[in-house]
Each structure stands twice: as structure tokens, then as C-alpha cells.
């Protein structure tokens, strides 16, 4: 949360302020709730868990940009209007050997696929394209390169 407290993502409601990746408040304008369905879930050994299309800010080979375990699923969500997207939606990285942006700096983590029931609810507090901090990681909350300068 913007006040530096921690809350479960499913308890966040419209109008609340999250911690933006730039240290500024990011207002929740929508709480997107869906079910897992055919998507896969991933986790790190520290407990951070997410669905495969979700974007994380990463560093690889000295370059920083968005990463997804399944960028094709993320691009599908752009296509159907779930997120505004990026100027070049093919630019989302994938694969291994990346460092994930974290409050402690860039950290090397290995995503592990985990089994969840397809009826598992997923929660995404949507901001106005401002990346947010979730479990200490910089993640997209509806990526929008048109209204937020990622440089």
C-alpha cells in the first residue's frame, strides 16, 4: 500500500492507493477479478505467486524491460482490451537468466510452475498504467506505455 503497509491483494478496493514503482501513489481504478482457467501459475521460493501473463520488470544483459512467463497470453489480453499495452507489444521478454526488480534491488529468481485449480480466483488491482509493488516486486498493474514513461 502507499502508506507502506502490506495487504492481501484480494482485499484491495477501488480508490485505495498502492505504492507505485516510482514511489508515488497509484490509485486503484478497478479490481479485475477473473478465474485462472487454462492459464498457469508461477511462484518464487519466497512465496511471490502470479499467473503466467502477468508482467514483471526485469534486467537481462544490462537492459531493463517487461518480462512475462507467457507473453503470448499477455498480448492476447492487450488484443481484447484488458490492458492498454506497449508501443511494441512484441517487446515483452520471456525466458530465463533474468533479474527481477525488487525493493532490495535486482534479484536473481527462478520461476517455478505450480498447479492450481482452474477455478482459482485471480485479483488484479488496476491502476492508470502505473507499475506497482507486489510482494516487493515491480509488476504491471495494466501496462500502459502510452500514459506512463517506463524509462
Amino acid at each position: 500500500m502507499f502508506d507502506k503497509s502490506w495487504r492481501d491483494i484480494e482485499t484491495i478496493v477501488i480508490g485505495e492507493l498502492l505504492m507505485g514503482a516510482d514511489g508515488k501513489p497509484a490509485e486503484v481504478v478497478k479490481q479485475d477479478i477473473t478465474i485462472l482457467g487454462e492459464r498457469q501459475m508461477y511462484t518464487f521460493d519466497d512465496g511471490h505467486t502470479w499467473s503466467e501473463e502477468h508482467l514483471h520488470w526485469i534486467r537481462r544483459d544490462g537492459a531493463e524491460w517487461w518480462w512475462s512467463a507467457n507473453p503470448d497470453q499477455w498480448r492476447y489480453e492487450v488484443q481484447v482490451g484488458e490492458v492498454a499495452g506497449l508501443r511494441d507489444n512484441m517487446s515483452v521478454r520471456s525466458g530465463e537468466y533474468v533479474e527481477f526488480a525488487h525493493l532490495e534491488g535486482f534479484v536473481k529468481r527462478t520461476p517455478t510452475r505450480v498447479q492450481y485449480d482452474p477455478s482459482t480466483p485471480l485479483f488484479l488491482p488496476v491502476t492508470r498504467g502505473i507499475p506497482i509493488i507486489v510482494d516487493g516486486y515491480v509488476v504491471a498493474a495494466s501496462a500502459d506505455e502510452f500514459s506512463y514513461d517506463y524509462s
Side-chain angles (χ1 to χ4, degrees), residues 132-144:
I132 59 173
I133 306 297
V134 175
D135 294 333
Y137 294 91
V138 176
V139 301
S142 67
D144 180 358

Side-chain angles (χ1 to χ4, degrees), residues 14-39:
I14 294 171
E16 290 190 295
L17 299 178
L18 304 179
M19 179 62 71
D22 57 3
K24 297 177 184 172
E27 182 181 0
V28 177
V29 296
K30 176 182 174 187
Q31 175 65 294
D32 189 13
I33 303 171
T34 187
I35 61 165
L36 179 61
E38 299 292 320
R39 290 174 283 183

Side-chain angles (χ1 to χ4, degrees), residues 1 6-10 12 18-21 44 46-50 54-56 101-103 123-125 127 130-141:
M1 305 301 294
W6 295 85
R7 294 246 309 276
D8 291 334
I9 201 163
E10 60 270 18
I12 295 171
L18 304 179
M19 179 62 71
F44 291 140
D46 63 5
H48 177 59
T49 305
W50 69 97
H54 207 74
L55 297 182
H56 286 75
H102 190 272
L103 290 175
F123 299 85
L124 174 65
T127 66
I130 299 169
I132 59 173
I133 306 297
V134 175
D135 294 333
Y137 294 91
V138 176
V139 301

Side-chain angles (χ1 to χ4, degrees), residues 18 40 54-55 59 61 69 92-93 99 111 121 128 130 138 140 143 151:
L18 304 179
Q40 300 297 312
H54 207 74
L55 297 182
R59 178 174 65 190
D61 300 327
V92 173
R93 311 303 199 270
E99 297 172 295
R128 290 183 175 88
I130 299 169
V138 176
S151 63

